[in-house]
């Protein structure tokens, strides 16, 4: 396949279709499609895009796709990649959403959704565990975690404000650490 | 028109402030559910289950759904583009000075705090769901069993959803869950 708009779109459409159960799987999928099969990019570059994508706001899979698309074909490539990766998700949901409100009234479906609610909380727990491992690894991050958790549970403060304060705290803390290092 | 602008603005703000991947958009999406009643928290939870078994990033799935229930296909388009637009802008800017970005002291400081903050917001969603989802004793026990099996061996998301759906179906037919 050629490395043009359509080729990139098609590849990312395939990746988007195979992307089940959360965006974290995008890295292995992209590695197999773009690095192993097509050799458009190295797997090291993909890992780098993924890890930077994960530290930026927004959906990780989308961030990674934009980075990769840009690398392949500039802004055009980024647009091809992003449309390709989200189109399967978009279509699947639009098709399902129009029937879902009718089927949830069926008794068996209600039972299934009751059960699935438990499955969802389990998935959330696993996501939190995964994020916790990567994020809470010193005193500072533990304090930030506890403060943010309490603030979020009280529901008094807008979430965006909590995030903004966390950014400021992080910057100040690093500044302060940097200075104490210099003094030593 | 006002609705579309509000829809766009709300999902755009989710795209800017959610750190830590698709699940990190959830705290904001539950927040929107409570503020605007475009969809209910219960609907969002159902949708999250569906999103986990349909293609694509969960964050995109949920945004599309939320937009669709608010005002049909046009709403779905607006919500989906609004949630990814910040990514597009930010990545475009950052890829211009990628190497500087990685070593910048301020960026590292911000990320150091953002990761636990994103994790905390998602924990809060989990805790709130635990208290609002009408699990009863039996559901709580199932949840604890599922979570403890994950410590032995972490399974595919489909495994947890499949098992819990089956359990719900069986218990429901024996009238054990009061749904």
């Amino acid at each position: 396949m050629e490395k043009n708009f359509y080729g990139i779109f098609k590849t990312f459409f395939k990746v988007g279709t195979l992307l089940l159960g959360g965006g974290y799987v995008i890295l292995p999928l992209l590695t197999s499609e773009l690095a192993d099969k097509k050799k458009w990019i190295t797997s090291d570059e993909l890992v780098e895009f993924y890890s930077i994508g994960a530290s930026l706001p927004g959906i990780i899979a989308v961030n990674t796709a934009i980075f990769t698309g840009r690398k392949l074909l500039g802004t055009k490539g980024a647009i091809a990649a992003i449309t390709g990766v989200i189109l399967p998700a978009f279509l699947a949901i639009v098709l399902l959403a129009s029937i879902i409100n009718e089927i949830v009234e069926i008794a068996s479906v209600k039972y299934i959704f009751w059960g699935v609610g438990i499955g969802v909380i389990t998935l959330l727990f696993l996501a939190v565990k995964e994020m916790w491992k990567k994020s809470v690894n010193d005193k500072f991050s533990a304090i930030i975690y506890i403060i943010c958790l309490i603030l979020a549970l009280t529901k008094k403060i807008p979430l965006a404000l909590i995030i903004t304060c966390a950014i400021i705290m992080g910057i100040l803390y690093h500044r302060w650490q940097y200075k104490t290092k210099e003094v030593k | 028109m006002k609705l579309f602008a509000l829809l766009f603005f709300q999902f755009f703000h989710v795209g800017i402030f959610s750190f830590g991947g698709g699940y990190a958009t959830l705290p904001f999406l539950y927040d929107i559910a409570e503020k605007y009643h475009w969809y209910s928290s219960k609907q969002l939870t159902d949708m999250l289950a569906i999103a986990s078994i349909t293609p694509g990033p969960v964050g995109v799935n949920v945004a599309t759904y939320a937009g669709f229930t608010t005002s049909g296909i046009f709403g779905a388009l607006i919500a989906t583009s609004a949630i990814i637009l910040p990514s597009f802008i930010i990545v475009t800017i950052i890829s211009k000075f990628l190497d500087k970005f990685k070593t910048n002291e301020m960026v590292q400081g911000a990320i150091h705090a953002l990761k636990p903050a994103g994790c905390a917001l998602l924990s809060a969603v989990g805790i709130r769901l635990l208290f609002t989802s009408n699990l009863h004793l039996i559901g709580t026990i199932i949840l604890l069993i599922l979570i403890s099996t994950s410590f032995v061996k972490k399974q595919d998301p489909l495994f947890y959803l499949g098992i819990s759906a089956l359990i719900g179906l069986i218990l429901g037919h024996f009238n054990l869950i009061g749904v």
Side-chain angles (χ1 to χ4, degrees):
Chain A
M1 205 183 294
E2 273 184 69
K3 204 163 101 183
N4 54 22
F5 186 89
Y6 181 65
I8 295 173
F9 170 81
K10 235 174 115 179
T11 313
F12 277 87
F13 188 87
K14 187 178 170 193
V15 169
T17 314
L18 297 172
L19 202 62
L20 287 164
Y24 303 98
V25 259
I26 195 165
L27 185 59
L29 286 177
L30 284 182
T31 309
S32 114
E33 282 298 315
L34 295 176
D36 300 347
K37 281 190 205 154
K38 298 203 176 71
K39 308 212 183 304
W40 284 355
I41 198 165
T42 64
S43 62
D44 283 348
E45 278 174 302
L46 285 174
V47 170
E48 189 182 318
F49 289 155
Y50 177 82
S51 58
I52 298 172
S55 64
L56 295 177
I59 298 150
I60 296 177
V62 171
N63 290 343
T64 314
I66 303 173
F67 266 123
T68 316
R70 274 196 73 83
K71 173 81 189 180
L72 296 175
L73 197 69
T75 307
K76 251 181 163 179
I79 294 170
I82 199 171
T83 354
V85 87
I86 66 169
L87 201 57
F90 186 82
L91 295 177
I93 296 301
V94 167
L95 288 177
L96 275 172
S98 36
I99 55 163
I100 192 134
N101 288 331
E102 289 157 39
I103 61 165
V104 286
E105 290 312 309
I106 304 165
S108 297
V109 177
K110 273 189 189 164
Y111 302 151
I112 289 176
F113 272 116
W114 179 85
V116 158
I118 301 173
V120 167
I121 300 178
T122 314
L123 293 184
L124 278 185
F125 174 81
L126 293 176
V128 166
K129 202 170 106 183
E130 206 52 43
M131 284 167 100
W132 172 278
K133 265 194 260 170
K134 287 180 196 145
S135 63
V136 185
N137 33 34
D138 57 4
K139 252 189 214 153
F140 174 72
S141 47
I143 293 169
I144 292 283
Y145 176 85
I146 293 167
I147 296 175
C148 291
L149 181 63
I150 295 169
L151 291 180
L153 284 174
T154 56
K155 281 169 66 170
K156 290 266 156 58
I157 299 157
L159 299 176
L161 188 61
I162 301 181
I163 291 292
T164 313
C165 291
I167 296 179
I168 296 168
M169 295 278 290
I171 293 172
L172 290 178
Y173 177 72
H174 269 237
R175 271 274 156 85
W176 173 74
Q177 246 192 348
Y178 193 69
K179 272 188 189 157
T180 42
K181 242 186 245 165
E182 269 187 344
V183 171
K184 273 174 198 170
Chain B
M1 203 55 224
K2 215 180 146 193
L3 174 70
F4 288 137
L6 192 61
L7 197 62
F8 183 87
F9 174 76
Q10 283 301 325
F11 281 89
F12 190 77
H13 127 274
V14 176
I16 296 180
F17 287 104
S18 53
F19 284 87
Y23 279 100
T25 59
L26 292 175
F28 295 91
L29 295 173
Y30 276 102
D31 204 40
I32 291 177
E34 284 172 17
K35 270 192 206 138
Y36 295 100
H37 308 288
W38 288 333
Y39 48 88
S40 69
S41 301
K42 167 82 172 59
Q43 276 176 309
L44 186 58
T45 310
D46 291 350
M47 199 54 219
L48 186 55
I50 294 171
S52 315
I53 53 172
T54 46
V58 173
V60 175
N61 290 147
V62 179
T64 306
Y65 171 75
F68 192 88
T69 38
T70 314
S71 52
I73 183 97
F74 199 57
L77 267 174
I78 289 181
T80 312
S81 0
I83 209 171
I84 60 172
L85 193 59
S87 291
F88 197 81
I89 298 168
I90 292 167
V91 171
T92 304
I93 296 169
I94 283 178
S95 51
K96 295 230 162 83
F97 44 96
L98 201 58
D99 294 320
K100 268 191 204 153
F101 176 80
K102 278 185 295 186
T103 49
N104 185 292
E105 187 73 24
M106 268 171 74
V107 171
Q108 284 181 342
I111 291 173
H112 190 186
L114 278 171
K115 284 184 181 171
C119 182
L121 297 195
L122 191 62
S123 311
V125 169
I127 293 171
R128 218 172 297 145
L129 270 186
L130 209 54
F131 288 105
T132 52
S133 12
N134 206 13
L135 288 184
H136 309 296
L137 180 64
I138 191 153
T140 316
I141 294 171
I142 298 164
L143 177 68
L144 287 177
I145 295 173
L146 284 180
I147 286 180
S148 28
T149 57
S150 81
F151 280 97
V152 183
K153 186 178 182 287
K154 201 180 145 193
Q155 306 279 353
D156 200 74
L158 272 180
F159 168 83
Y160 299 107
L161 295 174
I163 290 272
S164 55
L166 192 66
I167 293 174
L169 190 62
I170 294 167
L171 293 180
H173 276 284
F174 289 106
N175 266 326
L176 287 167
I177 52 178
V179 181

